[in-house]
């Protein structure tokens, strides 16, 4: 399992619209094979800053399965115009501590 992490900076004053559209967009990411869960966290110190994390079975479920899907087109249309600057997306895997 991997975790996709993105820090999202939304244009000032558009937070409520973004959150509403994000709820709608969530249906698209949930429909992708290899998707496990996602969460949107809002920063307490900066109203327009969020963290998105998504649990995927494997990296390719996100980079190919989602990003090359028709669902991603809808996701982009709903959300990408809110970001300033456009977010950096990174992927993480658990480190074994045993």
């Amino acid at each position: 399992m991997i975790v996709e992490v993105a820090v999202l900076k939304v244009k000032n004053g558009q937070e409520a619209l973004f959150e509403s559209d994000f709820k709608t967009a969530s249906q698209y990411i949930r429909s992708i094979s290899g998707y496990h869960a996602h969460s949107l966290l809002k920063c307490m110190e900066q109203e327009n800053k969020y963290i998105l994390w998504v649990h995927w079975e494997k990296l390719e479920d996100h980079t190919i399965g989602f990003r090359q899907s028709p669902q991603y087109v809808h996701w982009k249309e709903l959300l990408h115009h809110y970001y300033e600057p456009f977010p950096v997306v990174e992927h993480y895997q658990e480190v074994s501590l045993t």
Side-chain angles (χ1 to χ4, degrees):
M1 175 128 16
I2 64 108
V3 179
E4 167 198 351
V5 178
V7 176
L8 310 174
K9 287 218 163 172
V10 172
K11 294 174 186 170
N12 286 325
Q14 296 193 10
E15 296 86 2
L17 289 170
F18 167 72
E19 290 175 21
S20 177
D21 282 345
F22 190 90
K23 287 178 188 173
T24 301
S26 290
Q27 68 183 313
Y28 300 117
I29 201 166
R30 283 188 189 110
S31 70
I32 301 298
S33 179
Y35 163 89
H36 285 271
H38 73 285
S39 183
L40 183 67
L41 308 172
K42 186 170 186 170
C43 182
M44 296 173 70
E45 290 79 21
Q46 295 180 50
E47 286 189 25
N48 69 325
K49 188 176 182 180
Y50 299 81
I51 292 176
L52 168 65
W53 63 257
V54 185
H55 283 251
W56 296 99
E57 187 63 35
K58 58 185 189 284
L59 179 65
E60 295 78 16
D61 293 330
H62 175 232
T63 59
I64 297 169
F66 182 53
R67 287 216 175 141
Q68 294 182 12
S69 71
Q71 292 93 322
Y72 184 66
V73 173
H74 297 299
W75 174 274
K76 280 180 18 177
E77 289 171 351
L78 279 170
L79 301 177
H80 283 196
H81 62 93
Y82 287 110
Y83 307 136
E84 191 174 284
F86 196 78
V88 173
V89 177
E90 297 177 311
H91 300 89
Y92 295 83
Q93 60 186 359
E94 188 172 356
V95 175
S96 175
L97 300 176
T98 58

